[in-house]
């Protein structure tokens, strides 16, 4: 369960959540976000964990158990994850670099940093670290890592949020974060942004929870585990939001800075504030830990799939996949450097995020819901869940009808936007 929390709590909670909230008018966004989490992401999470524990197999074999030809979907999802991971690790590298800069007490402008070749070095370190953890195994690698980093991340988050609440801009920050502006709810873009963010933030629909579900004890209560993961993820996002918006409003910085919020806006605030250097170290240590435990979960899905399908050892599979990851991620790492690798006029990292990162997730989640709810014995679901408690009663309907429909609509809408 800690590993699932480690996967869920990532850059998405701290950086993406705040920037999406900022760009969507603050508190208004929380309403569709909470609805998306409760109605779509949690039921799918319960489904994935049940499939994983029932079949106790990697994602490709799991799809294969529903029908041999579905194995291709399992591979497709692995590939989507590998592509997402390739640029997620570039951003993980940025967080590591900024952690190093804050520890050394040097001030590096984001544009100077990205136009150098340093991002490539930090990307390589992050990719290798992820590979080493996964290669050490589920117990010795992943469990050990998450049992240290997840509590560590929550401690930092709590301390940061409490400290930032004492700043003069905290009040304005809080009303920005929690004030609902119901007129925003009429914008359809808000709803698909909220649903996309809910799936991304909870790491749902990508086979991660099928893979981790396979390692779950027989007596673990799946709905309860799913709720704990969800509440932890929400808590992380809210605590990060409290810290970030208190800082932003204290220094009159723009809350809508989007992707630049973490690397440009906040370092400015850290320069101005007392204890700023310590806050900077804490913030980037938090971002890096959160990113690493998420990256590990994405690689584990691929390593488990390759091991399961080829009989290869964990070490060899981890080594080969890490090398592949480095080869695939290098263009993204170079896309922000002075070489500025771009394709069709947009930087490769942004291109991957805008295509695979945005479309891959709803497509993968659609396949998971469709295949496991329409082509697999329903008893599987119930055998893992026991008697459904009252809050779980809508789950069969939601996973079978509502979620595939909503995901299809989102996919079509974002295809039309492209
Ligand atoms: N949930 C992670 C975050 O919030 O940063 C990111 C993530 C991990 C997204 C795994 C998708 C995924 F499959």
């Amino acid at each position: 369960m800690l590993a699932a929390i480690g996967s869920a709590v990532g850059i998405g909670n701290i950086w993406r959540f705040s920037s999406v909230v900022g760009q969507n008018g603050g508190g208004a966004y929380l309403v569709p976000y909470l609805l998306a989490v409760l109605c779509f992401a949690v039921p799918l999470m319960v489904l994935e964990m049940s499939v994983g524990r029932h079949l106790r197999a990697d994602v490709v074999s799991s799809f294969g158990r529903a029908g041999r030809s579905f194995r291709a979907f399992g591979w497709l999802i692995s590939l989507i994850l590998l592509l997402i991971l390739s640029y997620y690790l570039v951003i993980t590298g940025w967080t590591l670099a900024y952690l190093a800069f804050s520890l050394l007490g040097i001030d590096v402008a984001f544009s100077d940093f990205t136009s150098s070749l340093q991002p490539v070095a930090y990307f390589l370190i992050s990719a290798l670290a992820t590979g080493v953890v996964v290669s050490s195994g589920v117990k010795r690698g992943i469990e050990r890592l998450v049992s240290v980093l997840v509590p560590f991340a929550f401690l930092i988050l709590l301390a940061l949020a409490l400290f930032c609440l004492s700043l003069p801009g905290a009040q304005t920050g809080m009303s920005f974060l929690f004030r609902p502006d119901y007129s925003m709810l009429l914008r359809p873009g808000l709803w698909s942004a909220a649903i996309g963010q809910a799936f991304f933030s909870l790491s749902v629909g990508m086979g991660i929870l099928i893979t981790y579900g396979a390692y779950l004890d027989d007596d673990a209560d799946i709905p309860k585990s799913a709720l704990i993961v969800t509440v932890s993820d929400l808590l992380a996002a809210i605590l990060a939001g409290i810290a970030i918006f208190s800082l932003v409003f204290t220094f009159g910085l723009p809350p809508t800075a989007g992707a630049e919020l973490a690397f440009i806006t906040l370092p400015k605030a850290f320069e101005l504030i007392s204890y700023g250097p310590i806050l900077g170290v804490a913030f980037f240590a938090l971002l890096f830990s959160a990113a690493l435990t998420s990256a590990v979960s994405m690689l584990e899905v691929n390593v488990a799939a390759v091991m399961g399908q080829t009989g290869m050892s964990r070490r060899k599979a981890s080594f080969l996949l890490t090398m592949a990851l480095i080869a695939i991620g290098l263009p993204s790492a170079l896309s922000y450097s002075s070489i500025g690798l771009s394709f069709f006029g947009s930087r490769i990292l942004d291109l991957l995020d805008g295509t695979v990162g945005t479309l891959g997730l709803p497509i993968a989640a659609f396949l998971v819901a469709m295949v496991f709810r329409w082509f697999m014995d329903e008893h599987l679901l119930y055998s893992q869940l026991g008697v459904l408690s009252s809050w779980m009663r809508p789950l069969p309907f939601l996973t079978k009808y509502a979620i595939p429909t909503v995901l299809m609509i989102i996919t079509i809408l974002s295809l039309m936007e492209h």
Side-chain angles (χ1 to χ4, degrees):
M1 199 158 74
L2 264 187
I5 297 177
S7 172
V9 175
I11 308 179
N13 297 66
I14 298 148
W15 163 46
R16 204 166 185 256
F17 177 77
S18 307
S19 69
V20 181
V21 169
Q23 288 168 335
N24 286 290
Y29 171 80
L30 290 180
V31 178
Y33 183 65
L34 283 177
L35 281 177
V37 165
L38 292 179
C39 300
F40 304 128
V42 173
L44 199 56
M45 183 185 286
V46 171
L47 174 68
E48 272 195 66
M49 287 177 165
S50 310
V51 169
R53 189 170 67 181
H54 177 70
L55 299 177
R56 296 216 183 271
D58 62 84
V59 68
V60 177
S61 312
S62 300
F63 271 91
R65 296 276 283 274
R68 265 199 82 73
S69 48
F70 292 136
R71 291 157 61 91
F73 292 157
W75 284 120
L76 176 69
I77 291 182
S78 299
L79 180 68
I80 292 176
L81 266 182
L82 205 64
L83 289 173
I84 294 184
L85 180 56
S86 74
Y87 73 84
Y88 196 87
L89 281 172
V90 175
I91 305 174
T92 308
W94 296 352
T95 66
L96 180 62
Y98 270 76
L99 172 61
F101 300 154
S102 332
L103 278 169
L104 296 171
I106 44 178
D107 230 351
V108 183
F110 190 55
S111 55
D112 292 341
F113 166 65
T114 48
S115 60
S116 70
L117 282 177
Q118 292 188 63
V120 177
Y122 285 102
F123 159 69
L124 289 177
I125 300 173
S126 307
L128 291 174
T130 308
V132 167
V133 173
V134 173
S135 152
S136 310
V138 175
K139 279 223 173 315
R140 284 191 43 227
I142 302 178
E143 279 190 11
R144 263 211 212 152
L145 180 85
V146 297
S147 57
V148 175
L149 289 192
V150 172
F152 172 72
F154 272 92
L155 269 181
I156 298 186
L157 261 175
L158 200 63
L160 272 179
L162 286 177
F163 176 82
C164 293
L165 271 178
S166 68
L167 297 173
Q171 278 256 313
T172 330
M174 289 312 90
S175 59
F176 179 78
L177 181 58
F178 294 114
R179 176 209 59 211
D181 168 4
Y182 293 110
S183 66
M184 294 282 289
L185 295 181
L186 296 174
R187 287 184 16 198
L190 186 76
W191 288 88
S192 54
I195 295 173
Q197 171 67 11
F199 280 79
F200 182 89
S201 183
L202 286 170
S203 303
V204 152
M206 305 295 294
I208 289 178
L209 295 160
I210 295 181
T211 306
Y212 277 1
Y215 310 138
L216 206 58
D217 285 338
D218 279 326
D219 53 1
D221 180 340
I222 289 184
K224 196 166 134 203
S225 307
L227 270 190
I228 294 177
V229 174
T230 306
V231 170
S232 311
D233 192 69
L234 280 174
L235 188 70
I238 301 279
L239 286 175
I242 291 177
I244 289 174
F245 290 115
S246 303
L247 272 171
V248 160
F249 283 98
T250 299
F251 295 104
L253 300 165
T256 48
E260 292 154 5
L261 196 66
F263 298 101
I264 300 179
T265 312
L266 291 181
K268 262 190 215 139
F270 296 142
E271 266 169 39
L272 298 170
I273 199 172
S274 45
Y275 305 112
I278 301 177
L279 284 181
V281 171
F283 179 74
F284 287 110
L286 163 70
L287 263 182
F288 177 66
S289 320
L292 190 64
T293 50
S294 300
V296 158
S297 72
M298 291 190 241
L299 185 59
E300 173 63 20
V301 172
N302 277 280
V303 168
V306 169
M307 283 165 63
Q309 300 308 305
T310 63
M312 211 182 263
S313 72
R314 174 171 283 275
R315 284 210 147 180
K316 195 164 169 201
S318 309
F319 176 76
L320 290 178
L321 281 163
T322 307
M323 291 304 128
L325 204 53
I326 290 176
I328 303 170
L330 217 47
S332 294
L334 285 170
S335 63
Y336 270 75
S337 73
S338 47
I339 298 174
L341 277 186
S342 58
F343 201 64
F344 288 123
S346 70
R347 287 168 169 153
I348 296 201
L349 192 153
D350 298 323
L351 191 74
L352 273 177
D353 189 39
T355 51
V356 190
T358 316
L359 271 175
L361 226 149
I363 292 177
F366 174 78
L367 292 176
V368 168
M370 280 304 284
V371 168
F372 294 109
R373 287 299 280 124
W374 287 85
F375 296 93
M376 199 136 173
D377 194 351
E378 293 225 318
H379 291 306
L380 130 87
L381 192 61
Y382 302 114
S383 70
Q384 293 301 317
L385 297 180
V387 184
L388 293 187
S389 48
S390 57
W391 69 271
M392 292 271 299
R393 294 238 171 85
L395 186 118
F397 168 78
L398 287 171
T399 47
K400 192 160 185 175
Y401 301 99
I403 294 175
T405 313
V406 166
L407 287 168
M408 199 152 65
I409 295 175
I410 291 192
T411 312
I412 294 171
L413 281 181
S414 32
L415 271 177
M416 280 172 17
E417 265 172 33
H418 274 79

